Amino acid sequence: MTDAPPTVPALDDLLADAPTNWGKWGPDDEVGSLNYLGPEQVLAAARLVRSGKVFTLQRLIGDPKGDPVWPGRTPAERTQILDESTWDSPDAPQYPGGLHYADDKINAFLQGSTQYDGLGHVWYGGKIWNGYDARTTIGGLDKASVEPIAQRGVVGRAVLLDMARFRGKETLDKGETFTHEDLVACAQAQGVEIQKRDILIIRTNFLQLFFEQGEAFYEGFNEPGLVYSPELVRWFQDMEIPNLVTDTIANEVTTDPNTGVALVLHNALMRNLGVTLTEIADLEQLAADCAGDGQYAFLYVAAPLKVAKGSGSPVNPVVIK
Ligand code: UVW
């Protein structure tokens, strides 16, 4: 006799009693928990600027060493359209004064690099963030696209939680999990407090393995990250966390080890609470600097691109210490 295959619960059942913020900011809201970041939070974050050190968190698009992307997506392709060789041809455009110039374009997944997700990027049960019908995503997100997030921008106090360093590892392992309690312990070890309405930036350094392993990186793909529990979701809700930023492709352990469900937190946090997700950040220089100067809380500024109906957008977040 063989064992019956394990039953994976539907998200509808798993999250049946999970909290939501639907309606909290009105029936037309499309930016969710970013509403927690107002002028008071911006001014408090600006007061953290001490040394004037600046860090940019975007990965290179079109990295010659490869672009780590979610399985099924392809890296960006940049094509040169015009360059000096264009003017080798007698048919080249001629401009008064002899102007020559370079032009190029990219063909890219909007979620194929460091990115903000629109709140309508994932769903279950036929409803996206704020209860909008999932059919509003057809042909482009009419509701909760990345555009309203880009229109408002994201500015606030952020805290780096260096889970790899906290666990004494170069990188976290495939499928390795941690909880909100681990985040609090990590913060404590770093000498910083996670405050209400903080943007959380979590470092695993997992993508170093992409650059070391190449295609083998995708075998049994299961990124490390936060793991779902009702307590963790309640903690995010109580702490009014507006934005979760990680250096992994999808912000959380890919497959929940307790239930087998994929990307539970995308749904429990983003779809239900309106927490904005930011993925594939490059945290290496920032983390090294934080380990050096001990300043783990700082001003964070991000402006994703204004892409009409986009489910996500590339971004180059900036941290200022
Ligand atoms: C998915 O949700 C599938 O991908 P992302 O990592 O862009 O959120």
Side-chain angles (χ1 to χ4, degrees):
M1 221 172 90
T2 55
D3 289 340
T7 312
V8 174
L11 281 160
D12 260 324
D13 296 326
L14 184 64
L15 301 179
D17 301 322
T20 83
N21 283 330
W22 292 5
K24 181 168 185 161
W25 295 285
D28 299 323
D29 180 77
E30 299 183 272
V31 298
S33 293
L34 291 180
N35 284 293
Y36 290 131
L37 296 177
E40 195 185 321
Q41 285 69 36
V42 173
L43 291 172
R47 287 194 285 274
L48 295 171
V49 175
R50 291 172 196 150
S51 61
K53 285 188 272 190
V54 175
F55 301 87
T56 59
L57 307 188
Q58 191 205 337
R59 284 197 171 276
L60 192 60
I61 291 177
D63 190 330
K65 299 195 290 294
D67 292 353
V69 289
W70 176 258
R73 293 181 188 147
T74 47
E77 286 170 38
R78 195 193 60 81
T79 309
Q80 198 69 34
I81 305 299
L82 297 176
D83 55 30
E84 177 61 7
S85 71
T86 309
W87 280 270
D88 295 342
S89 158
D91 300 331
Q94 300 299 322
Y95 291 94
L99 170 76
H100 291 185
Y101 61 97
D103 258 4
D104 47 8
K105 63 179 182 180
I106 60 170
N107 181 6
F109 275 83
L110 289 170
Q111 275 115 336
S113 179
T114 312
Q115 102 229 210
Y116 266 73
D117 285 344
L119 293 183
H121 170 52
V122 300
W123 64 88
Y124 60 91
K127 299 260 189 238
I128 64 171
W129 161 247
N130 221 26
Y132 301 123
D133 194 309
R135 298 195 75 78
T136 58
T137 64
I138 294 176
L141 270 56
D142 287 332
K143 293 287 183 187
S145 76
V146 78
E147 187 199 331
I149 294 173
Q151 293 288 0
R152 86 184 289 292
V154 182
V155 181
R157 178 189 195 262
V159 173
L160 176 71
L161 299 157
D162 190 341
M163 286 302 299
R165 221 175 227 98
F166 178 56
R167 290 197 168 163
K169 292 175 155 181
E170 182 77 8
T171 78
L172 294 195
D173 298 323
K174 192 174 275 187
E176 182 171 346
T177 60
F178 46 90
T179 67
H180 59 295
E181 286 163 340
D182 295 318
L183 297 183
V184 172
C186 173
Q188 211 166 25
Q190 293 175 174
V192 68
E193 186 194 7
I194 302 175
Q195 297 179 359
K196 256 187 158 174
R197 304 194 175 190
D198 273 352
I199 295 162
L200 303 184
I201 304 182
I202 301 176
R203 174 177 177 266
T204 67
N205 197 25
F206 185 62
L207 293 185
Q208 181 178 308
L209 299 178
F210 168 83
F211 294 102
E212 287 174 6
Q213 297 174 354
E215 277 309 304
F217 169 79
Y218 288 105
E219 282 165 20
F221 183 76
N222 193 16
E223 292 195 295
L226 285 168
V227 61
Y228 166 74
S229 71
E231 294 76 19
L232 177 139
V233 177
R234 176 60 59 196
W235 183 81
F236 268 77
Q237 171 84 324
D238 293 346
M239 292 297 289
E240 301 182 342
I241 302 299
N243 189 181
L244 173 63
V245 181
T246 70
D247 61 358
T248 53
I249 297 172
N251 272 146
E252 60 180 296
V253 66
T254 313
T255 307
D256 176 24
N258 302 311
T259 61
V261 178
L263 299 190
V264 183
L265 292 179
H266 268 58
N267 288 287
L269 299 182
M270 180 159 66
R271 173 199 184 262
N272 292 352
L273 297 187
V275 177
T276 306
L277 300 186
T278 309
E279 295 154 331
I280 322 185
D282 183 349
L283 304 177
E284 292 315 291
Q285 286 183 11
L286 175 64
D289 191 78
C290 293
D293 71 4
Q295 186 187 344
Y296 281 89
F298 34 71
L299 173 64
Y300 172 96
V301 180
L305 303 181
K306 297 175 183 176
V307 183
K309 295 178 183 277
S311 43
S313 157
V315 67
N316 186 7
V318 176
V319 161
I320 309 169
K321 285 178 146 188

